[in-house]
């Protein structure tokens, strides 16, 4: 089976003017076939996320007219705009909406579900999206709609802004992408208001960003990020936030949006595998956005000089939102407009600067979490997740069910490169159940095609093994398929084990079950509202690669050595001397310094081919 949402890299999508004109032409033909006598452009199957969608198609038609002056479009735009103004504007409070600060304000809002009182929690983002659709139409209305319609649309957009920032709690879902989108709407609206009103809205938008979004950023892997549904980052919504930051910078010119966008872009570059696979987040653990992320990945990838367009999007939404039958939907339509307007070109080569939370070369990558434990290992087209044993997750030595990977003190990192090799040494102090402090030294070396991992720790009593990952997915052309197989070689005995117990808290990679589905099954709240990352943390056991200690190491150490990918024999030799632990493998020689480090207490590492 293939993963549903992990598809091709977004930078593989053609983004020439001709390609975009073809996309808009298709939207126009679909819309002209669909439009009802009263001007409705909603998809016939739309039930939720609906309050802004007809307006979104209208914005695409207005933009297409602006580019090509198709004589069929002005009447369709005016008719569909009239439909929204007459049928999709709500000013009475939606019964059950829990986040109002002012009751019976009379301000307009858009509904997530049209039925009164049905799932009103989504009205805030739907109104933010309606605001963005409206300002996109305003940007394209010159010569397209009459003064009466334009005035009504300006008043409606201003009302949406006031409802979002005055009548309700701001950003009630703690969703960074929605919040930044609202700010973008305010910045774009300000350009269409009389000068004094416009100035006030612009100032308010910048203040909201500073006080309600920037001041509430959360830390992950050394970066400060806009919170997403209560977490630091979501691999579906995080790149969408990046697109909103790009548009905010384009519209306002404010340096703060560039600075925060570049920080988020560097974070994405560090956590993203070479092949573009990613998972994790507080909302949709394994789903990926597509066209909604293009603007931000392209804009900020160029600014930071990194190929973050390798991010695997969901190609079913390659150009715009669609329903299961493939028909266009107006959801997020503004993102298509903005990415066409922006002329930035993709940056397609990797950044060569070493970063703390990633090792990457050629087709190999290791993404590390905040505690410098691998979160995803990629080699030979296969992706490995942290395995689980006895409710503990990660990569590291295991003794009697205890996993030695949680640091008790400062984690130190040293990067080296030499003769086509790239390496990272991670030194962690850890404490076991016996309360003894030990140092786990983990060396990662790659030549761009294979990954060698050597882990050394003061000798443990008993018979430890190395938990070396959960083989989870593999590249399969433009898709990613589930796998339980691994091309891995170990200096000691290697085994691939599977859970002996059944149940949702035991993940067997041989089953046709995705990490996302398993995580939601363990989450405390229903799918779509619960935190799959929290659910996944309840996993008791999983399929796991387990490597025995390598023969020939020092009597004072347990050393484990594993190669992911690569060809030929793997029989590393080890020697302990005054300089530390020397490791000789078929492709490299490395010297791992003493855990105490050098004169600056930093770990020492030398490397040569």
């Amino acid at each position: 089976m293939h993963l549903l949402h992990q598809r091709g890299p977004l930078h593989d999508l053609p983004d020439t003017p001709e390609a975009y004109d073809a996309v808009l032409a298709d939207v126009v033909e679909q819309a002209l076939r669909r439009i009802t006598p009263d001007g409705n452009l909603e998809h016939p199957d739309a039930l939720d996320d609906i309050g802004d969608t007809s307006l979104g198609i209208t914005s695409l038609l207005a933009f297409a007219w602006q580019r090509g002056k198709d004589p069929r479009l002005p009447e369709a735009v005016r008719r569909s705009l009239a439909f929204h103004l007459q049928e999709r504007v709500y000013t009475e409070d939606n019964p059950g909406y829990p986040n109002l600060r002012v009751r019976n304000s009379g301000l307009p809002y858009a509904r997530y579900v049209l039925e009164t009182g049905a799932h009103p929690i989504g009205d805030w983002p739907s109104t933010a999206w309606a605001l963005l659709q409206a300002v996109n139409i305003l940007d394209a209305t010159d010569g397209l709609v009459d003064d009466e319609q334009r005035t009504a649309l300006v008043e409606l957009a201003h009302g949406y802004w006031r409802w979002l920032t005055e009548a309700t709690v701001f950003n009630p879902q703690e969703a960074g992408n929605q919040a930044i989108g609202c700010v973008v709407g305010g910045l774009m609206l300000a350009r269409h208001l009389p000068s004094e009103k416009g100035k006030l809205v612009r100032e308010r938008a910048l203040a909201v960003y500073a006080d309600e979004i920037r001041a509430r950023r959360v830390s992950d892997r050394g970066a400060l990020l806009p919170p997403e549904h209560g977490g630091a980052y979501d691999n579906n919504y995080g790149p969408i936030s990046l697109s909103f930051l790009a548009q905010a910078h384009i519209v306002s010119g404010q340096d703060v949006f560039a600075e925060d966008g570049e920080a988020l872009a560097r974070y994405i570059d560090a956590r993203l595998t070479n092949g573009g696979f990613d998972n994790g987040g507080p909302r949709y653990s394994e789903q990926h956005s597509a066209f909604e992320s293009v603007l931000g990945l392209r804009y900020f990838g160029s600014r930071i000089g990194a190929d973050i367009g390798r991010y695997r999007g969901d190609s079913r939404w390659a150009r715009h939102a669609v329903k299961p039958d493939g028909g266009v939907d107006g959801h997020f339509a503004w993102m298509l407009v903005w990415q066409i307007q922006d002329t930035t070109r993709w940056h397609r080569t990797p950044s060569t600067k070493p970063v703390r939370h990633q090792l990457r070369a050629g087709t190999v990558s290791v993404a590390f979490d905040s505690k410098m434990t691998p979160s995803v290992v990629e080699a030979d087209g296969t992706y490995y997740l942290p395995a689980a044993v006895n409710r503990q997750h990660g990569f590291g030595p295991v003794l009697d069910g205890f996993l030695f990977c949680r640091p008790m003190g400062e984690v130190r990192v040293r990067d080296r490169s030499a003769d086509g090799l790239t390496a990272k040494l991670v030194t962690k102090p850890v404490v076991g159940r016996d309360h003894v402090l030990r140092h786990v030294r983990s060396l990662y070396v790659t030549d761009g095609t294979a990954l060698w991992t050597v882990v050394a720790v003061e000798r443990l009593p008993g018979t430890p093994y190395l938990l070396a990952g959960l083989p989870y997915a593999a590249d399969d052309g433009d898709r990613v398929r589930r796998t339980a197989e691994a091309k891995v070689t170990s200096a000691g005995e290697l085994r691939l084990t599977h859970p002996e117990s059944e149940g949702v808290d035991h993940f067997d990679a041989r089953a046709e079950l995705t990490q996302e589905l398993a995580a939601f099954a363990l989450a405390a709240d229903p799918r779509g509202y619960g935190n799959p990352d929290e659910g996944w943390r309840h996993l008791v056991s999983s399929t796991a690669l387990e490597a025995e200690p390598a023969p020939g190491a020092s009597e004072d150490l347990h050393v484990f050595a594993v190669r992911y990918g690569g060809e030929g024999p793997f029989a590393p030799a080890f020697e302990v001397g005054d300089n530390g632990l020397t490791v000789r493998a078929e492709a490299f020689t490395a010297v791992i310094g003493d855990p105490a480090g050098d004169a600056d207490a930093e770990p020492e590492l030398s490397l040569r081919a």
Side-chain angles (χ1 to χ4, degrees):
M1 61 176 289
H2 288 104
L3 300 184
L4 188 61
H5 302 278
Q6 303 264 349
R7 299 181 182 233
L10 291 182
H11 63 201
D12 287 351
L13 294 172
D15 62 349
T16 62
E18 294 77 15
Y20 282 131
D21 283 339
V23 172
L24 287 174
D26 177 60
V27 170
V28 166
E29 296 306 321
Q30 286 194 53
L32 293 179
R33 289 194 304 267
R34 176 188 301 170
I35 191 167
T36 64
D38 62 354
N40 188 353
L41 285 168
E42 293 161 1
H43 191 284
D45 296 336
L47 296 174
D48 53 21
D49 264 326
I50 191 174
D52 67 295
T53 60
S54 180
L55 197 62
I57 300 294
T58 305
S59 76
L60 293 176
L61 297 183
F63 184 62
W65 179 83
Q66 192 181 46
R67 284 171 69 88
K69 297 299 187 290
D70 185 329
R72 300 173 297 170
L73 294 182
E75 192 272 337
V77 168
R78 294 164 193 154
R79 187 149 53 100
S80 59
L81 180 55
F83 168 79
H84 184 84
L85 293 170
Q86 295 167 13
E87 303 294 337
R88 293 295 180 260
V89 177
Y90 298 85
T91 55
E92 295 182 358
D93 296 350
N94 199 350
Y97 186 72
N99 299 309
L100 290 175
R101 298 175 61 188
V102 178
R103 296 216 175 267
N104 302 315
S105 67
L107 292 171
Y109 65 94
R111 286 189 175 175
Y112 178 76
V113 174
L114 299 181
E115 181 184 351
T116 298
H119 199 46
I121 192 71
D123 289 353
W124 201 89
S126 289
T127 303
W129 304 159
L131 170 61
L132 290 168
Q133 314 286 23
V135 293
N136 267 357
I137 294 172
L138 289 172
D139 282 351
T141 53
D142 188 23
L144 185 57
V145 301
D146 59 32
D147 290 344
E148 183 179 354
Q149 268 197 328
R150 188 182 188 284
T151 298
L153 186 59
V154 170
E155 291 177 354
L156 176 63
H158 194 196
Y160 283 152
W161 169 254
R162 292 188 58 201
W163 187 86
L164 290 162
T165 57
E166 299 174 21
T168 71
V169 174
F170 184 81
N171 189 21
Q173 295 183 18
E174 296 183 346
N177 76 98
Q178 298 173 8
I180 304 170
C182 178
V183 167
V184 171
L187 293 170
M188 295 182 70
L189 169 66
R191 303 182 300 186
H192 296 285
L193 295 173
S195 58
E196 194 57 37
K197 279 187 178 180
K199 179 182 177 182
L200 292 175
V201 169
R202 177 184 167 89
E203 290 175 350
R204 174 66 174 148
L206 295 174
V208 163
Y209 182 75
D211 299 338
E212 300 290 344
I213 302 172
R214 199 165 199 263
R216 298 171 187 248
R217 289 177 299 171
V218 292
S219 178
D220 186 46
R221 309 184 195 194
L224 287 174
L225 307 170
E228 190 53 67
H229 286 282
Y233 177 85
D234 184 279
N235 69 356
N236 181 25
Y237 293 123
I240 298 176
S241 286
L242 194 65
S243 286
F244 282 131
L245 287 168
Q247 183 68 4
H249 184 242
I250 291 168
V251 171
S252 72
Q254 293 291 304
D255 290 341
V256 66
F257 298 117
E259 293 167 5
D260 292 354
E262 289 174 8
L264 177 54
R266 291 189 182 96
Y267 171 88
I268 291 173
D269 187 35
R271 71 172 286 143
L272 198 59
T273 59
N274 178 76
F277 170 85
D278 190 19
N279 75 306
R283 188 68 184 274
Y284 295 117
S285 181
E286 209 168 68
Q287 293 191 34
H288 273 39
S289 50
F291 80 99
E292 317 101 290
S293 303
V294 166
L295 173 65
L297 293 169
R298 193 173 63 193
Y299 187 81
F300 283 110
S302 178
R303 289 185 67 93
I304 69 170
D307 59 335
I308 54 178
R310 68 187 187 275
Y311 175 95
R312 284 186 181 269
D314 190 334
S315 57
R316 295 168 300 178
W317 279 35
R319 300 302 192 180
H320 46 68
V322 297
K323 289 299 181 183
D325 66 356
V328 63
D329 184 276
H331 193 46
F332 274 59
W334 63 86
M335 285 292 193
L336 176 58
V337 174
W338 298 344
Q339 66 173 270
I340 296 175
Q341 291 173 330
D342 179 59
T343 58
T344 305
R345 300 271 63 85
W346 285 110
H347 184 95
R348 296 182 179 276
T349 56
S351 171
T352 57
K353 181 180 179 181
V355 293
R356 180 179 175 90
H357 294 95
Q358 187 192 61
L359 174 71
R360 181 185 175 202
T363 59
V364 171
S365 62
V366 184
F368 297 88
D369 65 17
S370 291
K371 297 179 180 180
M372 290 305 296
T373 297
S375 58
V376 185
V377 170
E378 172 195 21
D380 197 41
T382 299
Y383 303 99
Y384 304 84
L385 302 180
V389 57
N390 198 24
R391 300 185 187 276
Q392 303 157 93
H393 300 195
F395 290 74
V398 176
L399 177 66
D400 296 331
F402 185 87
L403 173 60
F404 292 84
C405 75
R406 294 171 297 281
M408 181 64 70
E410 183 70 12
V411 180
R412 302 184 187 275
V413 178
R414 180 61 63 94
D415 289 281
R416 284 284 183 267
S417 60
D419 305 323
L421 299 171
T422 306
K424 187 183 293 286
L425 174 64
V426 177
T427 301
K428 292 183 183 181
V430 297
V431 175
R433 289 200 175 103
D434 58 4
H435 296 270
V436 175
L437 182 70
R438 295 178 174 86
H439 290 84
V440 176
R441 291 174 288 171
S442 301
L443 173 66
Y444 306 87
V445 181
T446 181
D447 62 356
T449 60
L451 173 71
W452 292 266
T453 300
V454 178
V455 178
V457 63
E458 290 90 342
R459 181 161 286 270
L460 297 160
T463 55
Y465 65 87
L466 180 73
L467 194 66
L470 156 64
Y472 177 69
D475 290 335
D476 187 11
D478 288 337
R479 299 293 301 275
V480 179
R481 60 176 171 82
R482 283 280 285 104
T483 189
E485 300 176 351
K487 186 179 179 182
V488 178
T489 310
S490 172
E493 181 184 342
L494 181 70
R495 55 186 174 266
L496 180 63
T497 65
H498 304 285
E500 297 180 357
S501 303
E502 297 182 355
V504 293
D505 51 358
H506 301 277
F507 187 81
D508 191 327
R510 297 170 298 182
E512 290 195 355
L513 183 68
T514 64
Q515 184 270 348
E516 179 186 4
L517 292 175
F520 268 118
L522 291 165
D525 297 304
R527 177 174 171 81
Y529 304 95
N531 184 336
D533 274 6
E534 286 186 359
W536 187 251
R537 283 192 283 270
H538 293 302
L539 199 68
V540 174
S541 67
S542 73
T543 292
L545 287 162
E546 300 176 356
E548 297 289 337
S554 164
E555 293 183 358
D556 297 328
L557 294 174
H558 269 125
V559 180
F560 309 88
V562 173
R563 184 183 68 195
Y564 301 83
E567 302 290 344
F570 177 52
F574 310 96
E575 180 182 345
V576 176
D578 294 339
N579 294 329
L581 173 65
T582 300
V583 181
R584 292 184 176 88
E586 70 276 18
F588 68 91
T589 297
V591 181
I592 304 171
D594 185 270
D598 60 15
D600 297 322
E602 292 299 321
E604 295 181 273
L605 173 64
S606 66
L607 177 72
R608 67 176 186 273

